[in-house]
Amino acid sequence: MSVSFSVKKRIDSIDILRGIIMIIMALDHVRDFFHIDAMTGDPTNPATTTPILFFTRFITHYCAPVFVLLAGTSAFLYGRKRSKKDLSMFLLKRGVWLMVLEIVVVNFLFGFDPQYHFVGLQVIWVTGLSMVLLAAFIYLPLKAIFFIGLTLVIGHNLLDVFNSNNAMGEAPPLWWSLLHQQSFRPYGEGRFLGVLYPLIPWPGIMMLGYCMGALFVPDYDAAKRRRILVSVGLQAIIVFVVLRWINVYGDLVPWSEQKNTTATIFSFFNVTKYPPSLLYCCITIGPALLVLAALEKVKAGWTNFVVIYGRVPMFYYLLHFFLIHLLCTIAFFASGYNMSQAADGMFLFRPNNFGYSLPVVYLIWVGVVVALYPLCKRYSVYKATHKYWWLPYL
């Protein structure tokens, strides 16, 4: 899902963090296809969830914002020895490519539906669109890019008051949905368009990541970089705690006291992802920066495994969706379902009443990640030793 750029010397801490996120991301998608309640329940609803189910969903919240943040960082590093014009053109072309990839390839892998009865504009779409916008913003001074990005992240919840009240099932205007409010709408006979990832504030996150790239140039003091990452990460966590406790600004849905302490804690941490609220960004990007700083000094065998996924994120992203849905299709027929029931849910071969317990979901997740490792490792070596024009796009 993440987008990385080929650079002559890769930075392991960035690739390891990206790899961790890619592995965690697969858990959420396996849950979508295999958990018995995935299509009918809300894993973050304090009134109905369980601790392990809430954690399973909450931990995957880190994926998308960290992906987009590191995509911006990779863009900065990719452009260090290139002209602004060359970097801008690359970002523009790659952004358009990602948007096309989302609509044509990712939607097919997600639904296995060649007729595209449902088209979702998700994280690859919004990453591509943010990249197109970044292609224009890179001509501004770095401080200006940082200010614009920070303003989008901090201030976009002011736009919540303009959201349409769709309690009656009416979708907001398409232009507003693309900007700031998730929606589902028909786009033809028996077909639906889902704007799952509205644009704002994703370009702001990518801009902040682009600015963060300045900390990773070769001549930057490593100790100073780690201090900055830790300081900013802690500040983001503090902002989350203070603003969430005040319960006035920073998220579309305030927290509230629930039936018990555990459920109240769930409510406190149940922040809005679509679009990502300020508090969502703080509690995901903040801890991620602490991990990024810590990874610079980590020397362990597990990092050699994890880093592979971080070096070929798009390759892994497409493969993992195909494998998960293929396994789901096999389980569908093995469970006694037939073709007449294939379209009973949102995705083909995934009926709403199909699925397994959470422990089985975790076993399938581990199996998917391990199964993809050999292919990802081989492609990582191929990508590092070849210079074909198409390699930066996959």
Side-chain angles (χ1 to χ4, degrees):
M1 184 160 79
S2 173
V3 182
S4 64
F5 297 76
S6 297
V7 293
K8 190 172 182 180
K9 180 176 175 57
R10 300 193 67 95
I11 299 171
D12 281 346
S13 60
I14 292 176
D15 283 337
I16 294 170
L17 177 58
R18 186 185 286 118
I20 292 171
I21 294 304
M22 299 303 295
I23 291 171
I24 293 173
M25 173 203 65
L27 174 60
D28 195 42
H29 296 151
V30 170
R31 184 186 62 81
D32 283 336
F33 281 94
F34 284 98
H35 189 227
I36 185 64
D37 293 329
M39 295 293 106
T40 57
D42 179 1
T44 61
N45 183 348
T48 59
T49 192
T50 64
I52 184 60
L53 181 57
F54 184 88
F55 171 81
T56 301
R57 176 54 176 153
F58 182 81
I59 193 66
T60 62
H61 279 347
Y62 286 84
C63 300
V66 178
F67 292 155
V68 175
L69 183 81
L70 295 182
T73 303
S74 296
F76 181 91
L77 297 173
Y78 182 83
R80 278 188 60 245
K81 295 185 178 180
R82 293 169 174 81
S83 68
K84 292 287 187 183
K85 180 180 179 181
D86 288 343
L87 177 59
S88 179
M89 286 303 299
F90 180 77
L91 289 170
L92 178 63
K93 290 186 291 184
R94 192 167 194 190
V96 172
W97 157 246
L98 290 176
M99 290 189 286
V100 173
L101 191 71
E102 175 79 272
I103 293 172
V104 178
V105 179
V106 176
N107 273 285
F108 175 76
L109 296 177
F110 207 77
F112 274 12
D113 179 10
Q115 297 185 13
Y116 294 91
H117 287 93
F118 178 80
V119 173
L121 304 182
Q122 301 190 72
V123 67
I124 301 300
W125 162 273
V126 83
T127 301
L129 187 51
S130 297
M131 207 168 282
V132 170
L133 295 174
L134 183 61
F137 281 112
I138 63 168
Y139 289 100
L140 296 175
L142 202 62
K143 289 183 178 179
I145 298 174
F146 178 80
F147 176 78
I148 295 171
L150 194 63
T151 300
L152 287 173
V153 172
I154 293 177
H156 83 93
N157 282 115
L158 293 171
L159 300 175
D160 292 343
V161 298
F162 299 108
N163 285 356
S164 302
N165 183 357
N166 56 3
M168 301 301 293
E170 296 180 2
L174 180 59
W175 68 270
W176 182 249
S177 180
L178 291 170
L179 281 179
H180 200 253
Q181 187 177 4
Q182 189 183 69
S183 74
F184 298 86
R185 66 185 65 239
Y187 77 97
E189 184 66 30
R191 288 175 165 81
F192 293 87
L193 171 68
V195 182
L196 295 113
Y197 279 70
L199 179 62
I200 303 172
W202 293 108
I205 296 174
M206 185 173 287
M207 290 178 200
L208 294 179
Y210 181 84
C211 296
M212 188 174 75
L215 303 179
F216 288 90
V217 296
D219 57 345
Y220 200 92
D221 181 74
K224 182 180 179 181
R225 173 175 61 246
R226 289 192 294 271
R227 287 196 300 270
I228 292 174
L229 291 175
V230 170
S231 175
V232 175
L234 290 175
Q235 289 175 50
I237 295 171
I238 291 171
V239 168
F240 166 79
V241 173
V242 172
L243 286 184
R244 192 59 167 165
W245 186 263
I246 294 173
N247 221 15
V248 172
Y249 178 78
D251 198 88
L252 187 62
V253 181
W255 68 279
S256 61
E257 290 190 17
Q258 301 292 316
K259 59 186 179 182
N260 55 46
T261 301
T262 300
T264 300
I265 293 173
F266 292 159
S267 178
F268 190 85
F269 283 93
N270 186 22
V271 286
T272 303
K273 181 180 180 180
Y274 307 105
S277 67
L278 166 61
L279 298 183
Y280 177 99
C281 294
C282 287
I283 198 55
T284 53
I285 294 176
L289 294 180
L290 300 182
V291 173
L292 182 60
L295 286 172
E296 292 196 24
K297 290 190 171 184
V298 171
K299 302 294 182 183
W302 65 268
T303 61
N304 296 327
F305 176 82
V306 171
V307 75
I308 295 300
Y309 302 102
R311 289 175 178 168
V312 292
M314 184 56 66
F315 180 78
Y316 168 87
Y317 183 75
L318 297 176
L319 277 183
H320 100 287
F321 256 133
F322 173 74
L323 179 57
I324 291 170
H325 204 163
L326 177 63
L327 292 174
C328 182
T329 303
I330 294 172
F332 169 85
F333 287 111
S335 299
Y337 292 94
N338 55 54
M339 282 300 298
S340 66
Q341 299 166 293
D344 287 349
M346 184 177 181
F347 322 125
L348 289 183
F349 310 110
R350 202 278 180 241
N352 289 338
N353 62 349
F354 165 86
Y356 306 97
S357 65
L358 208 53
V360 175
V361 169
Y362 271 82
L363 287 174
I364 296 171
W365 166 56
V366 172
V368 167
V369 172
V370 172
L372 291 178
Y373 179 77
L375 287 174
C376 290
K377 185 176 182 179
R378 179 170 294 186
Y379 183 67
S380 175
V381 173
Y382 183 87
K383 193 173 183 180
T385 55
H386 293 76
K387 296 185 180 296
Y388 297 117
W389 66 268
W390 52 268
L391 283 173
Y393 293 87
L394 185 58

